[in-house]
């Protein structure tokens, strides 16, 4: 019996049992392998197609969205890489950073699909991908001056390289196995945590003023990226992220969001190397921390007030018609926003920006003296 096929026209896609009976002259074979094999090749399985159709998404819409975000990510990574190459091509660390961005952005996340769809190019694609991931580890170890600091980073780079070599060229441990998932998690967390610790050590013990400014940019981008990804993975939507989830509107949205977060890497690296003096990173960090804390506290106040008010008005209003509770909670947020932001900003300045805080105190006392 022939494998089922998918017929796609401008108006949508349909499943067909007989591939010879076409509706509009163009058919695409449905992937019938394992879910990991199919999704590695960016192909849909019958349950993927059925789920997408239930959400009024055609396979063409899904494919366009996938291609679009991949093109955007590759373009931005490559653009920043070429700009760094144009400015720093006479320095080996400039060559390393530009190669890392171009290779990681173009091949790094797409090598499984390229290898699965074009087996003849498996060796060069795997080699480029391997060097991309090695340069990723070297970036953490050498940024911003090109020297590996501290020396223990050579051990981390070596382990990272060996494990990726085994995975790319020998498929060990096999993809989709629990050992592979555990090892991948340990590898990525180890690299991010070890890399950030190395950058902090370099910032405190080795770097000059200019290098510290550059390091702040990269650490800022990586910390925000890691926090957002961890929040996403451990949220209720975390089970919709991965290679083996059934295609849906939610999984597609999260996949695009997850990958767009990676743009923090080329953006912060590009600013750090090319334009670090044009932006005050300290102000950006303080404002990011301030508004993140304000947002978290206001969210806690909002949900807490909703639960509290529902209990208070439980015998007065219908829980299904709780517009008054929403209005009261929203007004409470509006009233609390400015004083809460000011208090948090003062606390951050007092703790982390003492010079600015002391200067503000002097100006306030001077203003009081002049007024008197």
């Amino acid at each position: 019996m022939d494998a089922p096929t998918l017929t796609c026209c401008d108006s949508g896609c349909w499943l067909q049992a007989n591939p010879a009976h076409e509706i509009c002259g163009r058919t695409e074979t449905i992937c019938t392998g394992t879910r990991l094999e199919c999704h590695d090749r960016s192909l849909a399985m019958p349950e993927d197609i059925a789920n997408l159709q239930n959400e009024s998404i055609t396979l063409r819409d899904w494919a366009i969205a996938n291609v679009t975000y991949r093109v955007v990510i590759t373009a931005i990574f490559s653009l920043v890489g070429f700009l760094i190459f144009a400015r720093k091509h006479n320095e080996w660390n400039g060559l390393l950073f530009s190669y890392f961005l171009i290779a990681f952005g173009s091949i790094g996340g797409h090598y499984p699909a390229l290898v699965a769809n074009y087996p003849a190019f498996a060796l060069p694609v795997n080699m480029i991908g391997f060097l991309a991931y090695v340069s990723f580890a070297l970036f953490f170890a050498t940024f911003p001056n090109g020297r590996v600091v501290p020396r223990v980073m050579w051990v981390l780079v070596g382990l990272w390289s060996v494990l990726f070599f085994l995975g790319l060229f020998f498929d060990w441990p096999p993809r989709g196995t629990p050992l592979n998932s555990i090892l991948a998690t340990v590898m990525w967390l180890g690299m991010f945590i070890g890399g950030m610790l190395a950058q902090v050590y370099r910032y405190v013990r080795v770097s000059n003023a200019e290098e510290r400014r550059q390091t702040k940019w990269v650490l800022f981008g990586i910390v925000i990226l890691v926090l957002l990804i961890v929040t996403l993975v451990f949220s209720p939507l975390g089970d919709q992220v991965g290679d083996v989830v059934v295609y849906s509107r939610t999984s597609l949205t999260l996949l695009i969001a997850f990958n767009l977060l990676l743009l923090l890497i080329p953006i912060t690296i590009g600013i750090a190397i090319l334009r670090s003096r044009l932006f005050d990173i300290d102000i950006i960090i303080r404002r990011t921390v301030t508004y993140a804390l304000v947002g978290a506290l206001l969210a806690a106040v909002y949900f807490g007030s909703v639960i509290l008010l529902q209990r208070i008005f439980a015998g007065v209003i219908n829980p299904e018609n709780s517009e008054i509770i929403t209005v009261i909670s929203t007004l409470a947020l509006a009233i609390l926003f400015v004083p809460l932001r000011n208090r948090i900003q003062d606390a951050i300045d007092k703790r982390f920006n003492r010079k600015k805080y002391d200067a503000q105190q002097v100006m306030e006392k001077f203003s009081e003296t002049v007024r008197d």
Side-chain angles (χ1 to χ4, degrees), residues 250-266:
T250 301
S251 68
L252 179 61
T253 303
L254 292 177
L255 179 65
I256 295 174
F258 187 89
N259 282 274
L260 290 181
L261 288 176
L262 296 177
L263 293 179
L264 285 170
I265 294 177

Side-chain angles (χ1 to χ4, degrees), residues 228-305:
L228 291 175
I229 289 178
V230 169
T231 302
L232 175 62
V233 170
F234 289 98
S235 70
L237 298 174
D239 58 352
Q240 292 294 313
V241 179
D243 295 325
V244 295
V245 299
V246 178
Y247 291 155
S248 65
R249 187 187 302 275
T250 301
S251 68
L252 179 61
T253 303
L254 292 177
L255 179 65
I256 295 174
F258 187 89
N259 282 274
L260 290 181
L261 288 176
L262 296 177
L263 293 179
L264 285 170
I265 294 177
I267 291 172
T268 53
I269 291 175
I271 293 175
I273 295 177
L274 304 173
R275 287 290 184 266
S276 64
R277 295 183 179 181
L278 296 184
F279 306 94
D280 192 341
I281 181 61
D282 293 331
I283 293 177
I284 295 175
I285 291 175
R286 288 199 301 273
R287 290 183 178 176
T288 301
V289 173
T290 298
Y291 286 104
L293 291 175
V294 170
L297 290 175
L298 289 180
V301 170
Y302 178 79
F303 289 111
S305 62

Side-chain angles (χ1 to χ4, degrees), residues 120-172:
F121 294 98
L123 181 60
V125 166
N126 283 335
M127 182 58 68
I128 294 173
F130 171 70
L131 294 176
Y133 283 102
V134 172
S135 64
F136 176 71
L138 285 173
F139 166 79
F140 273 116
T142 61
F143 184 85
N145 61 9
R147 292 187 291 114
V148 177
V149 177
R151 293 296 180 183
V152 71
M153 284 298 292
W154 280 116
V155 177
L156 191 61
V157 172
L159 290 174
W160 172 271
S161 303
V162 169
L163 291 173
F164 258 103
F165 182 83
L166 294 175
L168 285 173
F169 293 97
F170 297 98
D171 192 26
W172 185 91

Side-chain angles (χ1 to χ4, degrees), residues 3-7 19 27-32 41 43-45 49 59:
T5 59
L6 178 72
T7 299
T27 61
E28 298 177 12
T29 302
I30 299 173
C31 185
T32 56
R41 299 170 62 191
L43 294 177
M45 302 179 69
I49 299 165
L59 192 62

Side-chain angles (χ1 to χ4, degrees), residues 173-212:
R175 296 190 69 232
T177 61
L179 178 60
N180 180 275
S181 301
I182 294 172
L183 192 59
T185 302
V186 172
M187 285 173 57
W188 282 100
L189 287 179
M191 177 50 62
F192 273 113
I193 295 173
M196 287 191 289
L197 291 177
Q199 288 295 309
V200 170
Y201 175 86
R202 180 190 294 272
Y203 180 88
V204 174
R205 301 290 297 274
V206 179
S207 299
N208 56 33
E210 173 64 19
E211 291 171 350
R212 287 179 178 177

